[in-house]
């Protein structure tokens, strides 16, 4: 099996580890999709039996996000060797490497072989914006991994724990909260319905309580890590380091990789800040009750017209 994966990776822009992770995620997706199918009768009827592929995707995504977050926080905040005294921009961009880095392997293998295809296969996951976001993430991860360098030189690996780890903390809670979003009608209806079965009612209450708590933690973690910290690291550290380091890049490192990373990181930073602003606005509405007041005004104005 190991030899097969090594041979397969030769035909893909992936390392053997990335190929292994991607195939594992794909097989897990297939397995859980089959288990959630009502024909197998493994689970009782519910929203998971109506949205089998989507449910399986969330089950696979959750542990991945936990692993990425753990490794990212460990290596970004708690690695004693991370900030070497006297390290230059060139050192941070071209001086760090690890061909067996798990977050980068997930960012390339899992996204290419599992996440992007699921965006086509599963209707609930067909979000053009998220699909484009994941394609961009793959190419950024592939560029950092040295895929496009003649010598395989990794680019900006110093920042990998942050971009493919630290910020994924919010994704842990999003992978749960997103399931019960109104756009997924089966789950949303199930969570807000009154069930005759006491066990299902207890389960629904548990899911609802966890969902409410997860929504709050997601909003806070997204605002802090993605809405604020992401642009800060990007525009005060990563982008300036890339600009400085590419004044004299090593042999075999194409100049376009520098322009590409600067452009993509900057674009993602603006996108995260924009999404953070939207979440802040939604949080403000919930805290101040603006949405409820507006609804009352609308209903009141409607009565006057009648």
């Amino acid at each position: 099996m190991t030899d097969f994966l090594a041979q397969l990776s030769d035909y893909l822009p992936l390392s053997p580890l990335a190929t292994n992770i991607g195939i594992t995620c794909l097989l897990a997706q297939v397995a859980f999709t089959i288990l959630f199918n009502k024909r197998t009768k493994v689970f009782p009827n519910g929203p998971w039996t109506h949205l089998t592929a989507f449910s399986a995707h969330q089950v696979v995504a959750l542990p991945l996000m936990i692993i990425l977050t753990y490794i990212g926080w460990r290596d970004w905040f708690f690695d004693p060797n991370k900030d070497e005294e006297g390290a230059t921009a060139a050192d941070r961009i071209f001086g760090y490497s690890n061909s067996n880095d798990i977050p980068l392997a997930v960012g390339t293998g899992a996204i290419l072989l599992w996440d992007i295809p699921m965006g086509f296969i599963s209707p609930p996951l067909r979000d053009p914006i998220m699909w484009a976001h994941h394609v961009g993430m793959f190419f950024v991860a592939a560029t950092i991994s040295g895929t496009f360098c003649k010598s395989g030189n990794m680019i900006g690996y110093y920042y990998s724990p942050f971009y493919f780890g630290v910020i994924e903390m919010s994704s842990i809670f999003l992978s749960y909260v997103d399931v019960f979003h109104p756009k997924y009608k089966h789950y949303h209806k199930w969570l807000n319905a009154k069930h005759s079965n006491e066990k299902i009612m207890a389960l629904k209450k548990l899911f609802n309580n966890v969902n409410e708590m997860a929504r709050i933690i997601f909003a806070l973690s997204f605002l802090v890590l993605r809405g604020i910290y992401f642009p800060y690291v990007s525009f005060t550290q990563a982008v300036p380091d890339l600009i400085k380091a590419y004044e004299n890049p090593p042999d075999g490192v194409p100049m376009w990789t520098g322009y590409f990373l600067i452009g993509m990181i900057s674009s993602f930073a603006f996108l995260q800040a924009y999404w953070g602003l939207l979440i802040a606005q939604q949080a403000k509405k919930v805290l101040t009750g603006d949405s409820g007041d507006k609804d009352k005004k609308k209903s009141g104005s409607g009565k006057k017209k009648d």
Side-chain angles (χ1 to χ4, degrees):
M1 185 65 176
T2 304
D3 293 338
F4 168 75
L5 292 175
Q7 291 176 357
L8 181 62
S9 66
D10 292 336
Y11 298 97
L12 298 169
L14 302 172
S15 67
L17 177 61
T19 304
N20 194 354
I21 290 176
I23 294 295
T24 300
C25 290
L26 186 60
L27 292 176
Q29 172 74 41
V30 172
F32 280 112
T33 300
I34 293 173
L35 290 175
F36 284 130
N37 193 296
K38 57 185 177 183
R39 292 189 183 90
T40 62
K41 298 182 180 180
V42 174
F43 295 98
N45 285 335
W48 41 85
T49 57
H50 292 280
L51 299 171
T52 54
F54 169 73
S55 302
H57 179 273
Q58 299 306 100
V59 170
V60 176
L62 180 58
L64 274 184
M65 297 305 104
I66 295 173
I67 292 170
L68 290 178
T69 300
Y70 167 74
I71 296 175
W73 280 68
R74 181 196 66 189
D75 293 350
W76 182 253
F77 292 112
F78 303 106
D79 184 356
N81 300 318
K82 179 119 186 109
D83 296 311
E84 297 180 2
E85 188 177 349
T88 64
D91 293 331
R92 287 187 290 272
I93 298 303
F94 300 118
Y96 292 80
S97 64
N98 179 7
S99 59
N100 291 316
D101 182 69
I102 293 176
L104 277 181
V106 172
T108 51
I111 288 181
L112 181 65
L113 300 179
W114 164 66
D115 210 21
I116 292 176
M118 287 309 302
F120 286 104
I121 296 171
S122 177
L125 295 172
R126 288 174 189 166
D127 184 339
I129 295 177
M130 289 308 299
W131 184 84
H133 179 253
H134 290 155
V135 170
M137 282 180 61
F138 164 74
F139 280 108
V140 168
T143 303
I144 292 175
S145 299
T147 302
F148 306 107
C149 297
K150 292 181 180 178
S151 57
N153 197 105
M154 298 186 77
I155 306 170
Y157 173 70
Y158 174 90
Y159 292 101
S160 174
F162 174 74
Y163 288 115
F164 292 93
V166 172
I167 64 169
E168 295 300 345
M169 179 179 176
S170 62
S171 299
I172 295 175
F173 306 100
L174 178 62
S175 63
Y176 181 87
V177 169
D178 196 41
V179 170
F180 300 105
H181 191 280
K183 64 183 177 182
Y184 304 120
K185 296 180 181 179
H186 293 288
Y187 273 104
H188 185 69
K189 183 179 179 181
W190 181 87
L191 190 66
N192 293 280
K194 291 184 178 180
H195 303 279
S196 57
N197 188 298
E198 291 184 3
K199 290 184 178 180
I200 294 180
M201 277 298 294
L203 183 64
K204 170 208 154 181
K205 184 178 180 181
L206 174 63
F207 280 6
N208 191 50
N209 291 338
V210 173
N211 186 53
E212 291 301 317
M213 182 168 45
R215 287 175 63 187
I216 296 172
I217 301 175
F218 162 71
L220 291 174
S221 60
F222 192 100
L223 284 172
V224 173
L225 295 175
R226 291 179 180 264
I228 299 173
Y229 196 35
F230 191 111
Y232 172 79
V233 171
S234 297
F235 293 125
T236 66
Q237 299 178 42
V239 170
D241 274 355
L242 283 164
I243 293 172
K244 184 66 177 177
Y246 268 85
E247 290 178 357
N248 185 26
D251 292 337
V253 177
M255 280 297 297
W256 71 262
T257 56
Y259 298 135
F260 173 75
L261 287 176
I262 291 171
M264 291 301 293
I265 289 174
S266 299
S267 299
F268 280 140
F270 284 121
L271 184 62
Q272 301 296 334
Y274 172 70
W275 283 341
L277 180 60
L278 293 181
I279 290 176
Q281 290 174 343
Q282 290 297 320
K284 181 182 177 182
K285 288 181 180 180
V286 172
L287 293 173
T288 60
D290 287 349
S291 59
D293 293 340
K294 288 179 180 179
D295 290 338
K296 288 179 182 179
K297 288 179 181 180
K298 288 180 180 178
S299 60
S301 61
K303 289 179 180 178
K304 289 179 181 179
K305 289 179 181 179
D306 292 336

